[in-house]
């Protein structure tokens, strides 16, 4: 705001003590925030596990005091905790984890917006938060829509995260070493979007020539051209976070490729094709997934290892199968923890950095 100097947060905890006490009284603690093994009524908050929840700013409501705002260093520690502890939790379903993490990361972005943090340190927090959100959303299974995680809301949260980060980049203060990678993630998450491509092409040439953005542009081009062979070859070379960002488009890309094969190979008497060819072409996780994909689109099988392209049998009903994406996504972790990837994936890639993207 013009003429208004924003405060700097001073809260040292992931959740302010006043909020912890209030949510204890109102029984609004998430089970991931209570003291382990606690049998009190109401449950007691664990200061080491409770994380500030998102609360929509209301018109006319005074700004929170600095004691209720977490400084960038605490916000980054909070994101590390969400990525390293909550996202890896084996005690909660992935849909529950995604819903919890998305809400707490939204509160992280709000705390950052309400204080006078520098663009360089703000970008580090926003990058880590967005990377964590992309990963937990990508880990959701095909049955997530029936759980506590709302796919539409999660998609909106990811787009909001990209918006906050890209506005931070646009202010020009830097340097931002991870900007090429995250601008590439933006394009991959919005694969096929004319507006997203236009915004990326308007970036400075020093950014567009960095490997992460060049590869993202190549993936986008293959996706638009319907070149399945090139698209899935490129997808297999993407690092983990980029694979998480593009995962939401994999099912549609496979369906489009299968439709093209059906148009090319279908005959009145039927023409067979090895399922192994499908596995290699579409980067599937094995013959079983290939069989499931073909049967979901009405294509009959000849034994266990061949599909029959019979004219008039190919159908598209509802959304394409989600698939497991072990080859395209999960295998990319290669023994690293999510926290390690969230904080420093670009160092593992050895990506070139722009000298001055201003």
């Amino acid at each position: 705001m013009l003429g208004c100097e924003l405060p700097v947060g001073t809260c040292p905890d992931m959740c302010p003590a006043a909020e912890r006490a209030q949510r204890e009284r109102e029984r609004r603690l998430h089970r991931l925030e209570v003291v382990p093994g606690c049998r009190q009524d109401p449950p007691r908050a664990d200061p080491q596990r409770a994380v500030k929840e998102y609360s929509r700013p209301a018109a006319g409501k005074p700004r929170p005091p600095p004691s209720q705002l977490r400084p960038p260093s605490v916000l980054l520690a909070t994101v590390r905790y969400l990525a390293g502890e909550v996202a890896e939790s084996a005690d909660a379903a992935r849909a529950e984890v995604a819903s919890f993490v998305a809400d707490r990361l939204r509160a992280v972005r709000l705390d950052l917006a309400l204080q006078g943090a520098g663009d360089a340190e703000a970008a580090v927090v926003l990058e880590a938060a967005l990377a964590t959100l992309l990963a937990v959303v990508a880990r959701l299974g095909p049955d997530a829509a029936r759980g506590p995680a709302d796919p539409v809301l999660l998609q909106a949260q990811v787009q909001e995260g990209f918006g906050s980060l890209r506005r931070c980049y646009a202010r020009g203060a830097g340097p931002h070493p991870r900007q090429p990678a995250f601008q590439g993630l933006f394009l991959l998450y919005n694969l096929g979007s004319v507006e997203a491509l236009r915004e990326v092409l308007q970036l400075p040439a020093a950014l567009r020539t960095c490997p992460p953005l060049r590869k993202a542009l190549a993936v986008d081009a293959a996706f638009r051209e319907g070149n399945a062979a090139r698209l899935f070859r490129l997808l297999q070379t993407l690092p983990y976070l980029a694979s998480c960002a593009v995962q939401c488009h994999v099912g549609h890309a496979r369906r489009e490729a299968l439709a093209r094969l059906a148009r090319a190979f279908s005959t009145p008497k039927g023409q067979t094709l090895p399922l192994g060819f499908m596995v290699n072409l579409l980067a599937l996780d094995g013959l079983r997934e290939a069989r499931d994909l073909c049967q979901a689109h009405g294509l009959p099988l000849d034994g266990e290892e061949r599909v029959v392209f019979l004219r008039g049998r190919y159908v598209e009903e509802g959304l394409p199968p989600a698939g497991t994406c072990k080859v395209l996504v999960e295998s990319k972790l290669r023994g690293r923890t999510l926290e390690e990837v969230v904080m420093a994936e670009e160092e593992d890639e050895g990506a070139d950095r722009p000298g001055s993207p201003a």
Side-chain angles (χ1 to χ4, degrees), residues 290-302:
R291 286 193 291 269
D292 291 344
L293 179 66
C294 293
Q295 290 178 321
H297 291 85
L299 297 175
L301 299 176
D302 178 12

Side-chain angles (χ1 to χ4, degrees), residues 14 65 93 99 104 110 146 197 228 253 304 324 336 340 349:
M14 294 192 297
S99 179
R104 278 23 179 199
L110 181 59
R146 295 196 291 269
L197 179 61
E304 291 293 310
T324 53
R336 293 169 296 169
E340 290 171 337
E349 298 173 55

Side-chain angles (χ1 to χ4, degrees), residues 103-238:
D103 178 86
R104 278 23 179 199
L105 290 177
R106 196 177 188 190
V108 165
R109 294 195 299 272
L110 181 59
D111 266 22
L112 203 56
L114 291 176
Q115 63 184 293
D119 288 331
E121 58 184 352
V124 171
V125 175
L126 292 171
E127 287 165 350
L130 179 55
T132 302
L133 185 56
L134 284 171
V136 297
V137 171
R139 290 180 173 187
L140 289 174
D143 296 328
R146 295 196 291 269
D150 182 343
V152 176
L153 180 59
L154 290 175
Q155 182 181 22
Q157 290 303 305
V158 172
Q159 295 289 15
E160 184 179 306
F162 275 120
S164 298
L165 179 58
R166 297 181 76 247
R167 285 191 295 273
C168 183
Y169 288 152
R171 287 193 285 269
H176 304 303
R178 300 184 79 178
Q179 183 176 4
F182 278 85
Q183 294 284 12
L185 294 180
F186 169 71
L187 182 59
L188 292 171
Y189 189 78
N190 294 282
L191 208 60
S193 165
V194 174
E195 180 63 22
L197 179 61
R198 184 186 66 81
E199 291 184 18
V200 167
L201 292 177
Q202 288 179 339
L203 293 171
L207 278 175
R208 295 198 312 274
T209 56
C210 289
L213 256 181
R214 286 208 313 266
K215 183 166 286 188
L217 285 165
V219 170
D220 185 75
F223 181 80
R224 292 172 185 278
E225 295 164 2
N227 188 337
R230 184 163 189 261
L231 173 64
F232 285 97
R233 279 200 303 270
L234 287 169
L235 292 184
Q236 291 183 76
T237 68
L238 292 176

Side-chain angles (χ1 to χ4, degrees), residues 9-54:
T10 60
C11 176
D13 302 321
M14 294 192 297
C15 182
E19 180 185 317
R20 289 201 307 270
Q22 180 181 359
R23 288 206 280 135
E24 258 187 18
R25 292 193 302 270
E26 297 175 356
R27 300 173 185 270
R28 290 193 296 109
L29 289 171
H30 193 280
R31 69 186 188 91
L32 294 172
E33 299 177 301
V34 301
V35 175
C38 177
R39 296 184 178 181
Q40 288 185 217
D41 188 24
R44 199 169 83 246
D46 185 343
Q48 303 302 315
R49 303 177 76 208
V51 184
K52 185 176 183 179
E53 70 176 358
Y54 175 77

